[in-house]
């Protein structure tokens, strides 16, 4: 289902509103969506792992070499893979003999440990941290095509479903489609969108969005920003200007800089993360489109390399398929037979 299909008229003239589809998560439904969204990743991983340990009874150097290739091909990343293999080698040396049947458990424990070290369980979604001066302001960054604007629309719907008043700022003014798409999301979700149109000053849009949010008593202001990376200095200057102007209303803003990455691009997502973390102070990550790929291991690699919490993952097209990342549920799902 494409973006615009989401908004088509429903049969018998009944229009289904996004907020009606994005209520508070029921644990069993969230787990079911996660299982389905990560199915391709899990199937690919276990298929390769099964071949690697076939006919072998213990974890030896050959098995570890095979495992290293599997992790890298699953887009976990070279550096993260090396760290995982090193940890398993230490366990093999300590325990002297590890059966291949234990490899699933060992991998699960080590991956969970890495995510815990990177504080990927220490974030809250769709809630505002205590002590924050409202409006809670989020700058959303990411290259064109990763699902940035759609993620913002889904975030707005989820925040609203959790009782929050939301204002959106269309500061990606270099793409007419981005401005129009955000306006469409605003209309369907029922939240105001501050926009000056295409080819206008992004910082001016951000200024007016925060000013509007403060004036209207909004809980959250989410600002879309340009996704160009051909000029890193230009991007850095633009984001710095946006930060300066919104701090005139809320000195601590932005409270969050959310980088949106397309999980289906694998290692390219890692490269994008490197560039954006150089250009601005990214504080949280959203990794989208995991349902259409076997590259879900990129979540592990990105979290480990950048030590930035993964806050959201996208496991489908619907509004409520944007989930708050739960590292324990993620690991259990990946390694669930």
């Amino acid at each position: 289902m494409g973006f615009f299909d989401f908004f088509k008229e429903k049969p018998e003239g009944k229009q289904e509103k996004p907020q009606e589809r994005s209520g508070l998560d029921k644990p069993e439904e969230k787990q079911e969506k996660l299982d389905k969204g990560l199915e391709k990743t899990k199937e690919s991983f276990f298929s390769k792992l099964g071949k690697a340990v076939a006919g072998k009874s213990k974890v030896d150097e050959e098995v570890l070499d095979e495992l290293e290739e599997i992790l890298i091909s699953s887009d976990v990343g070279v550096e993260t893979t090396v760290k995982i293999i090193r940890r398993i080698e230490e366990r093999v040396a300590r325990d002297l003999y590890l059966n291949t049947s234990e490899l699933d458990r060992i991998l699960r424990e080590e991956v969970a440990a890495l995510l815990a070290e990177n504080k990927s369980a220490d974030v809250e979604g769709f809630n505002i941290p205590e002590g924050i001066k409202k409006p809670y302001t989020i700058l959303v960054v990411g290259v064109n095509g990763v699902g940035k604007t759609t993620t913002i629309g889904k975030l707005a719907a989820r925040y609203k479903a959790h009782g929050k008043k939301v204002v959106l700022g269309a500061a990606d003014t270099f793409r007419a489609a981005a401005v129009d798409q955000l306006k469409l999301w605003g209309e369907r979700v029922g939240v105001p969108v501050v926009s000056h149109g295409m080819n206008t000053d992004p910082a001016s849009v951000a200024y007016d969005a925060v000013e509007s949010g403060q004036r209207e008593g909004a809980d959250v202001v989410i600002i879309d920003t340009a996704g160009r990376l051909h000029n890193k200095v230009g991007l850095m200057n633009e984001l710095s200007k946006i930060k300066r102007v919104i701090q005139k209303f809320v000195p601590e803003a932005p409270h969050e800089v959310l980088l949106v990455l397309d999980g289906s691009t694998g290692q390219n997502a890692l490269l994008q993360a490197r560039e954006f973390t150089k250009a601005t102070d990214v504080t949280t990550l959203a990794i989208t489109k995991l349902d259409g790929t076997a590259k879900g291991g990129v979540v592990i690699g990105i979290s480990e390399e950048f030590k930035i919490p993964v806050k959201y993952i996208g496991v489908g097209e619907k509004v409520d398929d944007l989930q708050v990342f739960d590292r324990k549920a993620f690991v259990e799902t990946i390694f669930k037979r």
Side-chain angles (χ1 to χ4, degrees), residues 1 6 10 16-23 318-320:
M1 181 176 69
F6 179 81
K10 304 300 177 186
E16 190 174 30
K17 297 180 182 179
Q19 59 263 38
E20 293 174 345
R21 302 175 61 176
S22 58
K318 297 178 182 178
V319 167
D320 50 6

Side-chain angles (χ1 to χ4, degrees), residues 99-283:
N99 194 289
T100 51
S101 63
E102 297 180 90
L103 197 52
D104 290 3
R105 175 181 58 80
I106 296 167
L107 269 172
R108 181 189 292 114
E109 291 172 358
E110 295 303 337
V111 170
L114 282 178
L115 290 172
E117 290 168 12
N118 301 329
K119 298 182 179 179
S120 285
D122 296 339
V123 294
E124 292 186 41
F126 318 128
N127 289 309
I128 300 172
E130 293 184 7
I132 294 292
K133 179 182 178 182
K134 296 181 182 179
Y136 185 74
T137 306
I138 305 169
L139 284 188
V140 183
V141 301
V143 301
N144 300 334
V146 298
K148 178 166 57 75
T149 307
T150 299
T151 296
I152 293 170
K154 291 179 178 180
L155 280 175
R158 305 297 313 264
Y159 270 115
K160 186 175 180 183
H162 282 69
K164 303 295 186 293
K165 188 173 183 179
V166 183
V167 171
L168 302 181
D172 185 355
T173 62
F174 299 97
R175 283 195 311 129
V179 175
D180 292 343
Q181 190 181 7
L182 197 66
K183 284 182 177 179
L184 183 57
W185 268 108
E187 290 173 7
R188 305 308 302 183
V189 174
V191 302
V193 178
V194 175
S195 170
H196 296 175
M198 190 178 174
N199 295 322
T200 54
D201 179 24
S204 176
V205 176
Y207 179 95
D208 285 351
V210 177
E211 190 272 338
S212 174
Q214 194 173 61
R215 184 179 64 250
E216 299 298 327
D219 298 293
V220 183
V221 173
I222 309 174
I223 301 171
D224 193 7
T225 65
R228 301 166 304 159
L229 261 182
H230 63 270
N231 185 343
K232 189 164 57 185
V233 174
L235 178 65
M236 188 183 304
N237 291 340
E238 185 177 295
L239 292 173
S240 295
K241 184 179 178 183
I242 289 175
K243 289 180 181 180
R244 287 197 303 273
V245 300
I246 64 178
Q247 285 171 352
K248 294 180 180 179
F249 290 103
V250 183
E252 301 82 10
H255 301 100
E256 183 177 338
V257 178
L258 176 68
L259 172 60
V260 181
L261 299 167
D262 179 350
S264 70
T265 63
Q267 291 303 294
N268 192 43
L270 275 165
L271 295 175
Q272 291 173 20
R274 289 191 189 113
E275 292 304 308
F276 270 99
T277 51
K278 291 174 186 174
T280 190
D281 296 323
V282 176
T283 59

Side-chain angles (χ1 to χ4, degrees), residues 61-130:
E61 187 174 341
E62 186 176 352
V63 169
L64 290 176
D65 286 343
E66 292 276 1
L67 178 59
E68 185 173 358
E69 290 185 19
I70 292 168
L71 291 171
I72 291 173
S73 67
S74 300
D75 285 276
V76 172
V78 175
E79 292 183 13
T80 304
T81 294
V82 169
K83 179 173 279 192
I84 292 172
I85 295 298
R86 187 182 301 125
R87 290 187 175 201
I88 294 176
E89 285 176 336
E90 291 172 357
R91 293 179 69 157
V92 170
R94 184 172 65 246
D95 298 341
L96 297 179
Y97 184 93
L98 284 176
N99 194 289
T100 51
S101 63
E102 297 180 90
L103 197 52
D104 290 3
R105 175 181 58 80
I106 296 167
L107 269 172
R108 181 189 292 114
E109 291 172 358
E110 295 303 337
V111 170
L114 282 178
L115 290 172
E117 290 168 12
N118 301 329
K119 298 182 179 179
S120 285
D122 296 339
V123 294
E124 292 186 41
F126 318 128
N127 289 309
I128 300 172
E130 293 184 7

